[in-house]
Amino acid sequence: MDGTGETGEESGEKSHRTTPRSAAFRRFIAQGWGPRPVEDLDAAGSAPFAARRRAVLSSLFPGEVLVVPAGPLVRRSNDCDYRFRPHSAFAHLTGLGTDREADAVLVLLPTSEGHDAVLYVRPQAGRDAEEFFADARYGELWVGPRPSLPALSAQTGIDCHDVTALTEEVTAGLREARGLRLVPDADPAVTALVTPLRGQVPESADEEFVTALSELRLVKDEWEVAQLRQAVDASARGFEEVVRVLPRAVGHARGERVVEAAFDGTARVEGNGVGYETISAAGDHACTLHWIRNDGAIAPGQLLLVDAGVEVDSLYTADVTRTLPVDGRFTPAQRRVYQAVLDAAEAAFAVARPGVRFREVHVAAMKVVADRLSAWGMLPVDAATSLAEDGQFHRRWMPHGTSHHLGLDVHDCAQARKEMYLDAELREGMVFTIEPGIYIKSEDELAPAELRGIGVRIEDDVLVTADGVENLSAALPRTPDEVEAWMASLR
């Protein structure tokens, strides 16, 4: 990375930058530019759907000013930022994805008929402005041009104003409003700016707002479902790449990272990137639920658990897990554990349909897990006793839940109330995972010796339909025989 830029906060006696600042240079760099490239003035495909979501939110909080920041750039180290990703609530309500738009703020200002939406953003800097050439964080010569306010308004269907007008216009909106709610952790600077404007408010006000924003995403609209299909399809291609690189990964000192790089490279080419850190876990590492260090070797005869998902440009992500025999064929012990997990998944699929409570999907999978662990002599009680609330011994080998909602976040709708999540009935349009597993660590003395060091998870993404569920990730093989045949076809 070039090191000759200078931002406002880097200037001064401790700056090591060499950007010229003479009056002659400033006059010169502002000259000789042709028109900027023509901007896209078409409405984005997400725009009408985002408008409907804003209308629902408006109905929940009549007469109140609602503030949803995109969030700021986040420093990675010194003067380098992480790649920007907007807050999920902001993306949901504006339809903006990828890295758009740092420091922006969506505000819903109350009217007699609902709310008017205004998007406050940084405008384009003129080529005669110091930001244009000297600001390595925002300057056009450094990070590319920002869209103009008219172009962004055309794409989103939202009135766009200069972010410097935020305080004045929110203050004006509050004169006739009942109050103001915001997402307090999205952007500390925005929170600090608007909090003094609204006076005393109950501590629960923002919590209720964040909860509502989360619950607004529980049922996906048709545009969201299409985005999730794209994410799952791209993820399937990423898993194909994983199988193709396995021969190169075996024996490599960091074979897990060879696998990780294959999937993550596909994700970056096919979409915005990965939706979460890829889990590439060989052998005993598969028994660590969130193994993302991925610094281990992959040895012949092991299983490889890969939990990965592509996040497409709209920021919707897949979340898929497959457990693969490194040699292309399962050993009898591996197949026994794998089949138990698959049977648990099939039991969950069998009960999942509209009207069934979300938690019942987990219960169905746990019955199978407890039954198999009991048959293998690993439980101190029978399966029925273990399944009781005051038992749960089988959870030693599957401590996580069977399902979670999926969407803009890999664990979507996480701020929803319990009665709207675990205790809620499944509804058409919900998208969630089914992902049972059994994890038997190599040092587990309660397990048969031949099963130690085996970790298996099978995870699929499902869409609730009118009469059941559709497995969105069904293109990736699931049965042991299908997995073996699929791997052979790719090698």
Side-chain angles (χ1 to χ4, degrees), residues 207 210-212 214-215 217 409 411-417 421:
E207 293 178 8
V210 170
T211 295
S214 196
E215 293 176 355
R217 306 206 301 266
D409 294 337
H411 296 146
D412 210 26
C413 315
Q415 285 74 43
R417 291 165 292 173
Y421 200 116

Side-chain angles (χ1 to χ4, degrees), residues 191-270:
T191 298
L193 187 70
V194 304
T195 296
L197 305 179
R198 63 176 179 169
Q200 292 293 109
V201 296
E203 290 185 7
S204 62
D206 291 342
E207 293 178 8
E208 292 170 355
F209 185 49
V210 170
T211 295
L213 290 168
S214 196
E215 293 176 355
L216 193 62
R217 306 206 301 266
L218 282 166
V219 176
K220 271 58 179 178
D221 57 42
E222 60 186 273
W223 185 84
E224 292 178 287
V225 171
Q227 296 302 304
L228 285 163
R229 289 186 188 278
Q230 290 180 22
V232 171
D233 290 348
S235 299
R237 292 188 286 275
F239 274 89
E240 291 175 354
E241 288 303 310
V242 165
V243 175
R244 292 188 180 104
V245 303
L246 257 182
R248 182 163 61 88
V250 173
H252 192 287
R254 288 188 169 186
E256 291 175 340
R257 290 200 182 172
V258 174
V259 168
E260 175 191 354
F263 188 92
D264 290 11
T266 302
R268 188 62 179 152
V269 171
E270 296 264 359

Side-chain angles (χ1 to χ4, degrees), residues 143-224:
V143 298
R146 288 191 294 277
S148 67
L149 299 187
L152 193 57
S153 180
Q155 293 163 21
T156 62
I158 305 172
D159 287 340
C160 293
H161 296 182
D162 189 325
V163 71
T164 58
L166 176 66
T167 301
E168 179 182 350
E169 295 185 11
V170 168
T171 300
L174 279 169
R175 291 180 189 136
E176 303 296 329
R178 299 177 185 174
L180 181 150
R181 299 179 193 247
L182 78 153
V183 182
D185 61 348
D187 189 328
V190 173
T191 298
L193 187 70
V194 304
T195 296
L197 305 179
R198 63 176 179 169
Q200 292 293 109
V201 296
E203 290 185 7
S204 62
D206 291 342
E207 293 178 8
E208 292 170 355
F209 185 49
V210 170
T211 295
L213 290 168
S214 196
E215 293 176 355
L216 193 62
R217 306 206 301 266
L218 282 166
V219 176
K220 271 58 179 178
D221 57 42
E222 60 186 273
W223 185 84
E224 292 178 287

Side-chain angles (χ1 to χ4, degrees), residues 57 66-70 87 89-90 93 104-107 182-183 209 213:
L57 187 66
L66 308 176
V67 180
V68 183
H87 191 283
F90 177 89
L93 295 170
V105 186
L106 174 68
V107 178
L182 78 153
V183 182
F209 185 49
L213 290 168

Side-chain angles (χ1 to χ4, degrees), residues 128-440:
D128 58 347
E130 185 169 305
E131 176 188 293
F132 173 72
F133 66 88
D135 193 327
R137 203 175 204 194
Y138 295 107
E140 184 173 332
L141 285 186
W142 291 90
V143 298
R146 288 191 294 277
S148 67
L149 299 187
L152 193 57
S153 180
Q155 293 163 21
T156 62
I158 305 172
D159 287 340
C160 293
H161 296 182
D162 189 325
V163 71
T164 58
L166 176 66
T167 301
E168 179 182 350
E169 295 185 11
V170 168
T171 300
L174 279 169
R175 291 180 189 136
E176 303 296 329
R178 299 177 185 174
L180 181 150
R181 299 179 193 247
L182 78 153
V183 182
D185 61 348
D187 189 328
V190 173
T191 298
L193 187 70
V194 304
T195 296
L197 305 179
R198 63 176 179 169
Q200 292 293 109
V201 296
E203 290 185 7
S204 62
D206 291 342
E207 293 178 8
E208 292 170 355
F209 185 49
V210 170
T211 295
L213 290 168
S214 196
E215 293 176 355
L216 193 62
R217 306 206 301 266
L218 282 166
V219 176
K220 271 58 179 178
D221 57 42
E222 60 186 273
W223 185 84
E224 292 178 287
V225 171
Q227 296 302 304
L228 285 163
R229 289 186 188 278
Q230 290 180 22
V232 171
D233 290 348
S235 299
R237 292 188 286 275
F239 274 89
E240 291 175 354
E241 288 303 310
V242 165
V243 175
R244 292 188 180 104
V245 303
L246 257 182
R248 182 163 61 88
V250 173
H252 192 287
R254 288 188 169 186
E256 291 175 340
R257 290 200 182 172
V258 174
V259 168
E260 175 191 354
F263 188 92
D264 290 11
T266 302
R268 188 62 179 152
V269 171
E270 296 264 359
N272 191 51
V274 290
Y276 53 96
E277 294 295 333
T278 295
I279 297 170
S280 175
D284 199 47
H285 287 166
C287 300
T288 300
L289 300 183
H290 287 171
W291 176 260
I292 59 172
R293 190 175 300 156
N294 301 340
D295 62 354
I298 300 176
Q302 289 181 325
L303 291 178
L304 173 69
L305 188 156
V306 180
D307 185 335
V310 173
E311 177 186 83
V312 291
D313 288 346
S314 61
L315 305 182
Y316 286 80
T317 184
D319 180 10
V320 180
T321 305
R322 288 295 183 266
T323 305
L324 311 173
V326 171
D327 294 341
R329 297 189 67 83
F330 293 96
T331 67
Q334 292 168 350
R335 184 178 279 257
R336 193 191 329 170
V337 178
Y338 188 97
Q339 188 64 53
V341 174
L342 180 61
D343 290 346
E346 295 296 356
F349 270 96
V351 303
R353 60 186 181 277
V356 170
R357 294 194 183 279
F358 192 80
R359 65 169 63 252
E360 293 179 45
V361 178
H362 175 72
V363 170
M366 288 300 94
K367 289 179 179 178
V368 176
V369 170
D371 177 74
R372 300 307 165 83
L373 293 172
S374 176
W376 299 338
M378 295 168 61
L379 298 181
V381 297
D382 59 51
T385 303
S386 185
L387 287 164
E389 282 298 316
D390 58 353
Q392 300 294 302
F393 302 100
H394 57 286
R395 297 300 298 278
R396 170 185 172 122
W397 294 280
M398 188 189 154
H400 60 79
T402 303
S403 301
H404 60 77
H405 281 271
L406 183 67
L408 279 164
D409 294 337
V410 65
H411 296 146
D412 210 26
C413 315
Q415 285 74 43
R417 291 165 292 173
K418 186 178 179 182
E419 61 267 28
M420 296 296 289
Y421 200 116
L422 283 175
D423 294 335
E425 293 184 352
L426 299 182
R427 297 161 58 192
E428 186 175 359
M430 286 182 170
V431 178
F432 58 89
T433 64
I434 291 179
E435 52 174 310
I438 294 176
Y439 315 92
I440 307 170

